Short mmCIF file of all heavy atoms in Angstrom, two decimals:
data_model
loop_
_atom_site.label_atom_id
_atom_site.label_comp_id
_atom_site.label_asym_id
_atom_site.label_seq_id
_atom_site.Cartn_x
_atom_site.Cartn_y
_atom_site.Cartn_z
N MET C 1096 73.67 49.11 12.26
CA MET C 1096 73.67 50.52 11.84
C MET C 1096 74.60 50.73 10.65
O MET C 1096 74.27 51.45 9.70
CB MET C 1096 74.10 51.43 13.00
CG MET C 1096 72.95 51.79 13.91
SD MET C 1096 71.42 52.11 13.01
CE MET C 1096 70.73 53.45 13.91
N THR C 1097 75.77 50.04 10.68
CA THR C 1097 76.67 50.20 9.53
C THR C 1097 76.01 49.67 8.28
O THR C 1097 75.98 50.35 7.24
CB THR C 1097 77.97 49.41 9.82
OG1 THR C 1097 78.34 49.62 11.17
CG2 THR C 1097 79.08 49.86 8.92
N VAL C 1098 75.41 48.46 8.38
CA VAL C 1098 74.80 47.86 7.18
C VAL C 1098 73.64 48.74 6.71
O VAL C 1098 73.54 49.08 5.53
CB VAL C 1098 74.31 46.43 7.52
CG1 VAL C 1098 73.38 45.93 6.43
CG2 VAL C 1098 75.49 45.50 7.71
N LEU C 1099 72.80 49.20 7.67
CA LEU C 1099 71.65 50.02 7.28
C LEU C 1099 72.10 51.30 6.61
O LEU C 1099 71.48 51.81 5.70
CB LEU C 1099 70.82 50.36 8.53
CG LEU C 1099 69.84 49.29 9.00
CD1 LEU C 1099 69.09 49.75 10.25
CD2 LEU C 1099 68.85 48.98 7.89
N GLY C 1100 73.23 51.84 7.07
CA GLY C 1100 73.69 53.10 6.51
C GLY C 1100 74.32 52.96 5.14
O GLY C 1100 74.33 53.89 4.35
N VAL C 1101 74.82 51.76 4.84
CA VAL C 1101 75.59 51.61 3.60
C VAL C 1101 74.79 50.88 2.53
O VAL C 1101 74.82 51.24 1.35
CB VAL C 1101 76.91 50.86 3.90
CG1 VAL C 1101 77.60 50.46 2.63
CG2 VAL C 1101 77.81 51.70 4.77
N ALA C 1102 73.96 49.88 2.93
CA ALA C 1102 73.32 49.00 1.93
C ALA C 1102 72.39 49.76 0.99
O ALA C 1102 72.46 49.58 -0.22
CB ALA C 1102 72.56 47.90 2.66
N PRO C 1103 71.52 50.67 1.50
CA PRO C 1103 70.58 51.26 0.54
C PRO C 1103 71.24 52.13 -0.51
O PRO C 1103 70.64 52.38 -1.57
CB PRO C 1103 69.66 52.10 1.43
CG PRO C 1103 70.36 52.27 2.71
CD PRO C 1103 71.27 51.13 2.88
N VAL C 1104 72.46 52.60 -0.29
CA VAL C 1104 73.06 53.55 -1.24
C VAL C 1104 73.19 52.94 -2.63
O VAL C 1104 72.61 53.47 -3.59
CB VAL C 1104 74.42 54.06 -0.72
CG1 VAL C 1104 75.08 54.96 -1.74
CG2 VAL C 1104 74.24 54.76 0.60
N PRO C 1105 73.90 51.78 -2.78
CA PRO C 1105 73.95 51.24 -4.15
C PRO C 1105 72.58 50.85 -4.66
O PRO C 1105 72.29 50.99 -5.86
CB PRO C 1105 74.88 50.03 -4.03
CG PRO C 1105 75.04 49.76 -2.60
CD PRO C 1105 74.71 51.00 -1.85
N ALA C 1106 71.69 50.41 -3.75
CA ALA C 1106 70.37 49.96 -4.20
C ALA C 1106 69.62 51.10 -4.87
O ALA C 1106 68.77 50.87 -5.73
CB ALA C 1106 69.58 49.45 -3.00
N VAL C 1107 69.93 52.36 -4.49
CA VAL C 1107 69.23 53.49 -5.12
C VAL C 1107 70.08 54.11 -6.22
O VAL C 1107 69.61 54.40 -7.32
CB VAL C 1107 68.89 54.56 -4.05
CG1 VAL C 1107 68.41 55.85 -4.70
CG2 VAL C 1107 67.83 54.03 -3.10
N VAL C 1108 71.38 54.27 -5.95
CA VAL C 1108 72.22 55.03 -6.88
C VAL C 1108 72.34 54.29 -8.22
O VAL C 1108 72.24 54.91 -9.28
CB VAL C 1108 73.60 55.27 -6.25
CG1 VAL C 1108 74.58 55.80 -7.27
CG2 VAL C 1108 73.48 56.22 -5.08
N LEU C 1109 72.51 52.96 -8.17
CA LEU C 1109 72.74 52.24 -9.43
C LEU C 1109 71.54 52.34 -10.37
O LEU C 1109 71.70 52.74 -11.53
CB LEU C 1109 73.10 50.79 -9.12
CG LEU C 1109 74.47 50.64 -8.41
CD1 LEU C 1109 74.82 49.20 -8.17
CD2 LEU C 1109 75.55 51.35 -9.21
N PRO C 1110 70.29 52.04 -9.90
CA PRO C 1110 69.18 52.20 -10.85
C PRO C 1110 69.09 53.64 -11.39
O PRO C 1110 68.85 53.85 -12.58
CB PRO C 1110 67.96 51.85 -10.01
CG PRO C 1110 68.46 51.07 -8.86
CD PRO C 1110 69.85 51.53 -8.61
N VAL C 1111 69.33 54.63 -10.52
CA VAL C 1111 69.22 56.01 -11.01
C VAL C 1111 70.30 56.26 -12.05
O VAL C 1111 70.04 56.90 -13.09
CB VAL C 1111 69.35 57.00 -9.82
CG1 VAL C 1111 69.43 58.43 -10.30
CG2 VAL C 1111 68.17 56.83 -8.88
N CYS C 1112 71.51 55.69 -11.83
CA CYS C 1112 72.56 55.87 -12.83
C CYS C 1112 72.13 55.28 -14.16
O CYS C 1112 72.29 55.90 -15.23
CB CYS C 1112 73.84 55.14 -12.37
SG CYS C 1112 74.78 56.08 -11.19
N VAL C 1113 71.55 54.08 -14.08
CA VAL C 1113 71.15 53.41 -15.33
C VAL C 1113 70.10 54.25 -16.05
O VAL C 1113 70.15 54.47 -17.26
CB VAL C 1113 70.61 51.99 -15.01
CG1 VAL C 1113 69.88 51.42 -16.20
CG2 VAL C 1113 71.74 51.09 -14.56
N ALA C 1114 69.16 54.80 -15.27
CA ALA C 1114 68.05 55.53 -15.90
C ALA C 1114 68.50 56.90 -16.39
O ALA C 1114 68.04 57.38 -17.40
CB ALA C 1114 66.91 55.69 -14.90
N ALA C 1115 69.46 57.51 -15.67
CA ALA C 1115 69.84 58.87 -16.05
C ALA C 1115 70.64 58.84 -17.35
O ALA C 1115 71.17 57.78 -17.74
CB ALA C 1115 70.67 59.49 -14.94
N THR C 1116 70.73 60.03 -18.01
CA THR C 1116 71.47 60.07 -19.28
C THR C 1116 72.94 59.72 -19.00
O THR C 1116 73.52 60.25 -18.06
CB THR C 1116 71.42 61.50 -19.85
OG1 THR C 1116 71.94 62.38 -18.83
CG2 THR C 1116 70.00 61.89 -20.16
N PRO C 1117 73.51 58.82 -19.80
CA PRO C 1117 74.91 58.43 -19.51
C PRO C 1117 75.84 59.62 -19.67
O PRO C 1117 75.46 60.67 -20.13
CB PRO C 1117 75.19 57.34 -20.56
CG PRO C 1117 74.17 57.53 -21.61
CD PRO C 1117 72.95 58.13 -20.95
N GLY C 1118 77.09 59.44 -19.22
CA GLY C 1118 78.06 60.52 -19.36
C GLY C 1118 78.35 61.13 -18.00
O GLY C 1118 78.41 60.43 -16.99
N ARG C 1119 78.48 62.44 -17.95
CA ARG C 1119 78.95 63.07 -16.71
C ARG C 1119 77.96 62.92 -15.58
O ARG C 1119 78.34 62.86 -14.41
CB ARG C 1119 79.27 64.55 -16.96
CG ARG C 1119 80.64 64.70 -17.64
CD ARG C 1119 81.03 66.12 -17.91
NE ARG C 1119 80.13 66.77 -18.84
CZ ARG C 1119 79.34 67.79 -18.53
NH1 ARG C 1119 79.33 68.26 -17.30
NH2 ARG C 1119 78.55 68.34 -19.42
N THR C 1120 76.66 62.85 -15.91
CA THR C 1120 75.70 62.74 -14.78
C THR C 1120 75.91 61.43 -14.04
O THR C 1120 75.81 61.38 -12.81
CB THR C 1120 74.27 62.78 -15.32
OG1 THR C 1120 74.22 62.01 -16.51
CG2 THR C 1120 73.85 64.20 -15.59
N THR C 1121 76.22 60.34 -14.76
CA THR C 1121 76.46 59.09 -14.03
C THR C 1121 77.67 59.25 -13.11
O THR C 1121 77.65 58.80 -11.97
CB THR C 1121 76.75 57.96 -15.03
OG1 THR C 1121 77.05 58.50 -16.30
CG2 THR C 1121 75.56 57.04 -15.15
N LEU C 1122 78.71 59.93 -13.62
CA LEU C 1122 79.88 60.15 -12.75
C LEU C 1122 79.47 60.92 -11.51
O LEU C 1122 79.86 60.60 -10.38
CB LEU C 1122 80.94 60.95 -13.53
CG LEU C 1122 81.95 60.10 -14.32
CD1 LEU C 1122 82.95 61.01 -15.05
CD2 LEU C 1122 82.70 59.20 -13.34
N LYS C 1123 78.62 61.93 -11.71
CA LYS C 1123 78.20 62.75 -10.56
C LYS C 1123 77.44 61.89 -9.56
O LYS C 1123 77.68 61.94 -8.35
CB LYS C 1123 77.31 63.88 -11.07
CG LYS C 1123 76.82 64.86 -10.02
CD LYS C 1123 76.09 66.02 -10.71
CE LYS C 1123 75.60 67.05 -9.70
NZ LYS C 1123 74.99 68.22 -10.36
N LEU C 1124 76.54 61.04 -10.06
CA LEU C 1124 75.75 60.19 -9.16
C LEU C 1124 76.67 59.22 -8.43
O LEU C 1124 76.53 58.99 -7.22
CB LEU C 1124 74.70 59.44 -9.97
CG LEU C 1124 73.59 60.32 -10.56
CD1 LEU C 1124 72.75 59.56 -11.56
CD2 LEU C 1124 72.73 60.89 -9.46
N LEU C 1125 77.63 58.65 -9.14
CA LEU C 1125 78.55 57.71 -8.47
C LEU C 1125 79.36 58.45 -7.40
O LEU C 1125 79.59 57.94 -6.31
CB LEU C 1125 79.48 57.08 -9.50
CG LEU C 1125 78.80 56.09 -10.46
CD1 LEU C 1125 79.78 55.57 -11.49
CD2 LEU C 1125 78.18 54.94 -9.67
N PHE C 1126 79.75 59.69 -7.71
CA PHE C 1126 80.51 60.47 -6.72
C PHE C 1126 79.67 60.69 -5.47
O PHE C 1126 80.12 60.50 -4.34
CB PHE C 1126 80.92 61.80 -7.35
CG PHE C 1126 81.58 62.75 -6.41
CD1 PHE C 1126 82.83 62.47 -5.90
CD2 PHE C 1126 80.93 63.91 -6.02
CE1 PHE C 1126 83.44 63.35 -5.01
CE2 PHE C 1126 81.54 64.79 -5.14
CZ PHE C 1126 82.79 64.51 -4.62
N ILE C 1127 78.38 61.06 -5.68
CA ILE C 1127 77.50 61.27 -4.53
C ILE C 1127 77.37 59.98 -3.74
O ILE C 1127 77.44 59.94 -2.50
CB ILE C 1127 76.13 61.79 -5.01
CG1 ILE C 1127 76.28 63.20 -5.60
CG2 ILE C 1127 75.12 61.78 -3.90
CD1 ILE C 1127 75.02 63.73 -6.23
N GLY C 1128 77.23 58.85 -4.47
CA GLY C 1128 77.11 57.55 -3.78
C GLY C 1128 78.33 57.26 -2.94
O GLY C 1128 78.24 56.86 -1.77
N CYS C 1129 79.53 57.50 -3.51
CA CYS C 1129 80.76 57.23 -2.74
C CYS C 1129 80.81 58.11 -1.49
O CYS C 1129 81.13 57.64 -0.40
CB CYS C 1129 81.98 57.51 -3.61
SG CYS C 1129 82.09 56.42 -5.02
N LEU C 1130 80.45 59.40 -1.65
CA LEU C 1130 80.47 60.30 -0.48
C LEU C 1130 79.53 59.76 0.60
O LEU C 1130 79.87 59.72 1.78
CB LEU C 1130 80.03 61.70 -0.90
CG LEU C 1130 81.11 62.62 -1.45
CD1 LEU C 1130 80.50 63.93 -1.89
CD2 LEU C 1130 82.17 62.88 -0.39
#
Side-chain angles (χ1 to χ4, degrees):
Chain C
M1096 275 321 218
T1097 319
V1098 166
L1099 278 180
V1101 170
V1104 176
V1107 169
V1108 169
L1109 294 182
V1111 172
C1112 279
V1113 166
T1116 56
R1119 281 181 296 115
T1120 41
T1121 15
L1122 270 180
K1123 182 173 181 175
L1124 292 169
L1125 290 177
F1126 174 68
I1127 293 174
C1129 296
L1130 274 176

